[in-house]
Amino acid sequence: MIQFNKISKDPPYIIFKDMYKKSLEANQNNIEAICISSFSESKKEVNARYVNLKFINDKEFIFFSNYNSPKSQDFESHNQISGLFFWNSINVQIRMKAYIKKTSQEFNQKYFFDRSVEKNASAISSYQSKQIDSYNQVIENFNRSLKNDDLKKCPEYWGGYSFVPYYFEFWEGHESRINKREAFDMIDGVWKQSFLQP
Ligand SMILES: Cc1cc2nc3c(=O)[nH]c(=O)nc-3n(C[C@H](O)[C@H](O)[C@H](O)COP(=O)(O)O)c2cc1C
């Protein structure tokens, strides 16, 4: 589930929330799963992975991750990303483009405090995406953290990322491929709406 906090009343946000509601009512699995694509300037390489979108605060989309992970290194080198939802229960795709930044340490600490100790032990004990000898080692690291670490204190290498899209595209699948595509471009502080051919 995504938590909406005073979501913006701008047209793309109204459409987003309406589609989210319909998808939720249609029992969409993993409704919060968003594919985030990033680019590494040094490697000249694009990469993508799913994360769970936790909040929409006004215009900001927020998820959490490890700040030393490959995705974080990509964001450091190139702060422009794309985000992608596909809600198959209602046959909708939502594409976004945005600039990404870290959330504040206070925000991270508050969110971390409210999470389960198990999730926090997992976050604390993982050097995300680094190679490890075995899966058993992962479990040992997790158990050691569960026993020894302060599981309510957010480590500085873990926290949120926030992005405010400057582009949205809503794709609705229809019969005979007469799909509806509606785009919103933020130009000089104003949303420019258009329809795209399928
Ligand atoms: C549905 C789903 C949700 C996920 N949610 C998160 C998340 O919220 N944060 C996160 O760091 N990784 C999440 N992951 C794992 C990432 O896809 C990825 O494996 C990990 O973040 C390492 O990515 P990186 O090497 O590109 O940094 C999720 C994976 C799936 C399949």
Side-chain angles (χ1 to χ4, degrees):
M1 298 269 286
I2 301 171
Q3 189 180 316
F4 294 84
N5 297 322
K6 293 195 204 136
I7 186 168
S8 165
K9 297 215 163 36
D10 286 4
Y13 288 86
I14 289 171
I15 296 173
F16 184 95
K17 198 168 177 192
D18 181 54
M19 286 180 168
Y20 178 84
K21 193 166 164 269
K22 288 193 176 112
S23 174
L24 196 62
E25 283 164 5
N27 297 318
Q28 176 64 48
N29 284 331
N30 299 112
I31 196 167
E32 66 284 352
I34 178 171
C35 178
I36 300 287
S37 297
S38 59
F39 176 70
S40 163
E41 288 283 5
S42 54
K43 293 188 198 151
K44 298 278 180 263
E45 195 176 65
V46 174
N47 207 347
R49 80 290 291 154
Y50 280 100
V51 296
N52 287 326
L53 193 84
K54 289 292 175 185
F55 301 107
I56 301 179
N57 291 343
D58 186 27
K59 293 179 179 166
E60 273 184 308
F61 287 65
I62 296 176
F63 67 88
F64 293 85
S65 193
N66 182 297
Y67 282 161
N68 295 326
S69 63
K71 77 177 84 49
S72 303
Q73 287 162 27
D74 287 1
F75 302 156
E76 289 293 326
S77 86
H78 181 90
N79 68 350
Q80 193 275 334
I81 57 125
S82 76
L84 187 65
F85 285 101
F86 175 53
W87 293 326
N88 68 308
S89 60
I90 57 165
N91 205 15
V92 154
Q93 168 181 257
I94 302 173
R95 299 168 77 173
M96 287 168 273
K97 297 183 210 169
Y99 295 96
I100 195 160
K101 62 177 190 319
K102 287 178 181 168
T103 52
S104 72
Q105 276 187 345
E106 297 73 50
F107 180 83
N108 299 345
Q109 177 54 56
K110 193 168 176 301
Y111 178 70
F112 197 79
F113 189 86
D114 290 338
R115 292 187 356 143
S116 70
V117 289
E118 288 80 13
K119 278 187 184 171
N120 287 352
S122 179
I124 290 171
S125 64
S126 170
Y127 292 94
Q128 194 174 53
S129 301
K130 290 252 178 355
Q131 288 185 0
I132 190 159
D133 288 342
S134 64
Y135 182 59
N136 265 348
Q137 189 69 57
V138 173
I139 294 168
E140 275 174 30
N141 292 347
F142 168 78
N143 285 328
R144 193 175 317 115
S145 175
L146 209 50
K147 223 166 101 190
N148 300 329
D149 289 328
D150 178 354
L151 298 168
K152 288 290 163 183
K153 189 172 181 318
C154 183
E156 82 290 344
Y157 55 83
W158 192 92
Y161 278 103
S162 108
F163 62 89
V164 176
Y166 61 82
Y167 177 82
F168 284 89
E169 185 208 308
F170 300 96
W171 179 101
E172 291 174 51
H174 286 282
E175 269 180 27
S176 309
R177 302 276 158 83
I178 318 214
N179 304 324
K180 182 180 172 191
R181 298 177 64 197
E182 187 171 11
F184 292 86
D185 265 289
M186 176 59 85
I187 295 169
D188 297 331
V190 180
W191 286 112
K192 185 179 173 301
Q193 187 268 4
S194 59
F195 290 105
L196 307 175
Q197 298 185 41

